[in-house]
Amino acid sequence: MTAVRLSARPVPPSLRWLKTGAGFLATLSLTFLGLLLITFVIGRVVPIDPVLAVVGDRAPQEVYDAVKLEMGLNDPLWLQFIHYVGSVLQGDLGMAVSSQRPVIEELGRVFPATLEMATLGILIGVFIGVPAGVVAAANQGRWVDQVIRVIGLAGYAIPAFWLGLVGLALFYAHLHWVGGPGRLDIFMEGLVKPKTGLLLLDSALAGEWGVFRSAVSHIVLPAFILGFFSLAYIARMTRSFMLDQLSQEYIVTARVKGAPERVVIWRHAFRAIRIQLVTVIGLSFAQLLEGSVMIETVFSWPGIGNYLTNALLNADMNAVLGATLVIGAVFIGINRLSDLLYRILDPRARA
Amino acid sequence: MMTVNWLMSDAPETRWQAGLGQAYRTSRALFANPLALVGLVIILGLLLVAAFAPWIAPYSPIESDLSARLLPPSAAHWMGTDELGRDIMSRIIHGSRITLYIVLLVAVISAPLGLLIGTMAGYFGGWVDRVLMGLTDIFLSMPRLIMALAFVAALGPGIENAVIAIAITAWPVYARIARAETLTFRNAEFMSAIRMQGASHARIIVRHVMPLCLSSTIVRVTLDMAGIILTAAGLGFLGLGAQPPMPEWGAMISSGRAFILDQWWVATMPGFAIVVVSLGFCLFGDGLRDVLDPRNRT
């Protein structure tokens, strides 16, 4: 009897929050575990013998066996996996073979460069993409709409690395509008001590405006190219969300009531899609991190993507897996976070 | 006129007639959409160029001619020549075969896999559903390109391994779609009817559930083709996909990278081929979606 009454009563908000939070943490940790399992499996599939990488191929059999035992490679696979998870949780991603330094330390060094570029990219994507999508939807079928649709399609069809190369040839080599590859002009290298690792911020804080200008001229092109792809995606999604809203009856009501078109679009329709946009922006930020692998390679940008591709070419597996793990973790984190945010903000998704 | 009436008949006498009628209606709707037609023309063009590559290409894609290095586009070499004096247009024409090979292979591996997993999850429900979809969700929330890179790093560079790596990262989307589709008719009467006739689970899934999920999967695969082409080209660009001297478009851009500042055409021309072909699949996929799957319009 009491049980029935209890379940009929609405769940108190605090408990609901707890449930959402617990479910969030559960899926998050499960997904992370999946990521770890994948990198673990990839690490095992590799034909490179990790023992040989340590002892060299001329080592006598006893040394080889001893090292193998010490590295725990005789343990059953599930135990090795647990050890692997444990060491990753402690921040131990192994040593990079090429530099003989801990991978985690190197990743910490290169990550700010990626963060800086990706942040600028997403800002460009949001501040151009969202208005573009709204304008396209408000002018459905007219030429503005067609242009924005073509841009949206181009984001799907153009390879990022190719656009980067074309941009370099055009804006750097021919027009001299922007700086070339790298983060700074060579003679400016090392003038500013890294504090946050974000060069724009560091040089501005130190008052080194020459360095700041050089950094800006170098980041503009890759950030815009990266931003172009999130712009295309965000504009496309914004447009379709807006079209959805504009076809609803409350919009007709607003128009009949005599509300000016600007109010109908921005105050009524746009307000309704803000929550959906949060998810889209989160998703495109995550994709941006991925896209930066290609862009960084083209622009010799010393970020995590460039680190990853260099490690790939050197077959430095610890570095590859470490970078994969970090990018994957950030990607998953942002994805799940925007999912959670959507659930918190949208009352309909709570049920 | 007679044939049209026969095709559009409301009461087809045979399965064959019904199927043809359906195909006729679909193609009529497609032909009404100019952008989809452009996409179709591009895809057909790709197929033709790939099929007749040796006859279309004016030069050999492999043989080098060092006296004709890095020539700009001209009447003799419409897209110029590369650092070994090879005609870039001939290489792009032959490269269409590689692109087609990758795209088809990825589709053939990942679509049936996703279809099987998705329909099984939707059909059985319960813990099967939870396990399979949990797995799918984990794969879905991974960054695809990074995963493909890591897989290729483990398997070793090469076109087959690139295909495997892309396929491994592509199937979860199809699984999600197939499951959602299966759930919509899971409790329909015709399903009970088949079950009461004594059909086995395997037979129901393969003969009755899968065909119904096919059209939305095909739409999704077509839309994904552009992404697959870009990923494959990206792997080629990083030196992890097709290996030289294969005229793979991404690898061609990569080798032209060294000359981008002075001989821009070497890296630029293959990029146009990638853009055109990806665009073709995008446009055709959009059109197909509108025709076959009007519910999921975005």
Side-chain angles (χ1 to χ4, degrees):
Chain A
M1 202 53 207
T2 41
V4 171
R5 219 186 288 154
L6 262 181
S7 64
R9 210 188 294 160
V11 186
S14 56
L15 203 67
R16 204 182 58 210
W17 277 92
L18 205 67
K19 245 177 113 180
T20 317
F24 172 71
L25 285 182
T27 41
L28 191 68
S29 40
L30 216 65
T31 318
F32 277 137
L33 211 60
L35 175 68
L36 282 168
L37 190 60
I38 292 177
T39 50
F40 176 75
V41 168
I42 291 175
R44 295 292 141 205
V45 172
V46 179
I48 307 166
D49 187 339
V51 182
L52 279 187
V54 172
V55 299
D57 47 4
R58 295 229 191 105
Q61 191 62 36
E62 304 90 70
V63 178
Y64 180 92
D65 289 341
V67 170
K68 189 167 184 187
L69 192 68
E70 195 190 325
M71 290 172 81
L73 291 171
N74 288 334
D75 296 338
L77 274 180
W78 60 268
L79 194 62
Q80 287 187 34
F81 180 61
I82 290 176
H83 284 311
Y84 175 69
V85 172
S87 59
V88 167
L89 286 181
Q90 287 167 17
D92 175 14
L93 297 175
M95 296 292 232
V97 176
S98 42
S99 66
Q100 284 303 320
R101 291 176 46 181
V103 170
I104 188 90
E105 202 178 283
E106 299 199 318
L107 287 175
R109 193 165 42 78
V110 296
F111 194 69
T114 301
L115 189 67
E116 192 170 36
M117 189 160 81
T119 308
L120 270 186
I122 194 73
L123 287 179
I124 293 168
V126 171
F127 283 103
I128 303 179
V130 171
V134 173
V135 167
N139 298 291
Q140 195 193 358
R142 290 195 216 139
W143 66 266
V144 190
D145 184 31
Q146 305 294 357
V147 168
I148 292 170
R149 283 181 78 185
V150 168
I151 292 176
L153 266 182
Y156 280 91
I158 298 180
F161 55 92
W162 180 74
L163 196 62
L165 282 175
V166 172
L168 265 183
L170 192 64
F171 295 111
Y172 168 62
H174 285 269
L175 297 171
H176 304 292
W177 286 0
V178 298
R183 279 180 100 181
L184 276 179
D185 293 333
I186 290 175
F187 58 90
M188 301 243 180
E189 225 51 90
L191 276 184
V192 175
K193 270 224 172 79
K195 261 187 231 140
T196 57
L198 306 172
L199 204 51
L200 292 175
L201 207 62
D202 281 349
S203 58
L205 283 179
E208 293 273 4
W209 297 107
V211 177
F212 182 77
R213 254 202 307 280
S214 166
V216 168
S217 80
H218 279 264
I219 204 173
V220 157
L221 187 60
F224 258 94
I225 289 176
L226 206 52
F228 169 76
F229 289 96
S230 59
L231 181 164
Y233 174 67
I234 290 175
R236 195 172 152 118
M237 297 311 280
T238 308
R239 177 179 177 273
S240 84
F241 291 156
M242 281 297 281
L243 285 181
D244 254 9
Q245 292 297 329
L246 288 176
S247 65
Q248 302 215 352
E249 284 178 0
Y250 76 92
I251 294 291
V252 180
T253 313
R255 281 191 180 135
V256 169
K257 193 175 77 172
E261 194 61 19
R262 187 171 46 82
V263 172
V264 170
I265 299 232
W266 287 101
R267 190 142 342 132
H268 292 277
F270 183 67
R271 270 201 186 172
I273 69 162
R274 282 181 311 181
I275 296 169
Q276 284 170 296
L277 277 184
V278 169
T279 321
V280 166
I281 291 170
L283 211 63
S284 83
F285 191 55
Q287 285 170 354
L288 215 72
L289 285 177
E290 209 182 8
S292 63
V293 173
M294 288 297 175
I295 294 290
E296 284 180 9
T297 309
V298 170
F299 284 90
S300 310
W301 193 260
I304 198 168
N306 199 19
Y307 181 78
L308 174 62
T309 47
N310 278 336
L312 277 172
L313 296 181
N314 296 331
D316 187 345
M317 260 344 255
N318 279 343
V320 171
L321 293 181
T324 308
L325 213 53
V326 169
I327 300 178
V330 174
F331 187 92
I332 292 169
I334 295 176
N335 259 345
R336 294 290 168 181
L337 210 65
S338 58
D339 202 41
L340 182 73
L341 218 57
Y342 181 76
R343 262 175 223 208
I344 292 172
L345 292 176
D346 189 347
R348 282 168 305 180
R350 274 183 212 149
Chain B
M1 213 51 228
M2 269 303 287
T3 40
V4 171
N5 279 337
W6 181 78
L7 281 170
M8 299 287 275
S9 161
D10 284 335
E13 278 156 20
T14 58
R15 256 168 199 265
W16 190 64
Q17 183 186 354
L20 273 184
Q22 188 60 37
Y24 175 71
R25 272 180 217 126
T26 309
S27 54
R28 270 228 328 208
L30 257 184
F31 280 111
N33 179 347
L35 282 181
L37 259 189
V38 172
L40 184 64
V41 168
I42 292 175
I43 295 172
L44 287 180
L46 175 75
L47 290 173
L48 286 177
V49 166
F52 298 106
W55 292 277
I56 301 174
Y59 299 89
S60 154
I62 310 279
E63 270 170 42
S64 52
D65 172 12
L66 291 178
S67 64
R69 288 182 74 230
L70 296 169
L71 294 179
S74 65
H77 300 279
W78 287 6
M79 294 183 178
T81 60
D82 67 4
E83 73 278 13
L84 293 176
R86 296 172 295 198
D87 180 54
I88 292 178
M89 195 172 83
S90 304
R91 283 177 67 74
I92 290 179
I93 289 173
H94 278 271
S96 64
R97 291 186 160 186
I98 301 175
T99 299
L100 206 59
Y101 172 78
I102 292 175
V103 163
L104 287 181
L105 220 53
V106 169
V108 163
I109 296 173
S110 62
L113 186 66
L115 206 54
L116 185 69
I117 289 177
T119 46
M120 267 169 61
Y123 175 78
F124 288 114
W127 66 268
V128 178
D129 184 27
R130 242 170 286 148
V131 169
L132 288 180
M133 279 302 116
L135 196 72
T136 308
D137 275 347
I138 288 177
F139 266 90
L140 257 186
S141 51
M142 303 288 166
R144 281 175 69 170
L145 177 69
I146 309 288
M147 281 297 134
L149 282 180
F151 276 114
V152 178
L155 299 169
I159 208 164
E160 277 80 17
N161 291 342
V163 166
I164 294 172
I166 298 173
I168 288 177
T169 57
W171 65 267
V173 186
Y174 313 134
R176 273 237 151 259
I177 290 173
R179 172 178 177 269
E181 196 88 345
T182 308
L183 286 184
T184 59
F185 55 79
R186 194 186 153 182
N187 298 320
E189 279 175 11
F190 74 89
M191 292 288 282
S192 320
I194 307 160
R195 222 166 286 148
M196 272 188 279
Q197 283 177 358
S200 66
H201 290 313
R203 186 185 170 87
I204 297 177
I205 289 180
V206 173
R207 297 293 299 273
H208 298 274
V209 177
M210 274 193 185
L212 284 171
C213 302
L214 209 56
S215 69
S216 50
T217 310
I218 288 176
V219 168
R220 188 62 213 210
V221 170
T222 319
L223 282 171
D224 272 1
M225 289 287 185
I228 294 170
I229 291 172
L230 292 195
T231 312
L235 290 177
F237 177 73
L238 294 176
L240 298 169
Q243 298 298 306
M246 273 176 116
E248 197 270 332
W249 295 342
M252 285 171 71
I253 295 177
S254 169
S255 70
R257 200 183 150 191
F259 316 102
I260 185 73
L261 301 183
D262 299 310
Q263 285 89 18
W264 55 270
W265 57 89
V266 184
T268 313
M269 292 302 180
F272 285 118
I274 298 178
V275 173
V276 168
V277 171
S278 316
L279 208 58
F281 279 110
C282 274
L283 294 174
F284 186 64
D286 265 349
L288 260 192
R289 176 180 52 195
D290 291 351
V291 172
L292 292 179
D293 204 13
R295 275 159 306 154
N296 302 338
R297 244 178 245 192
T298 43

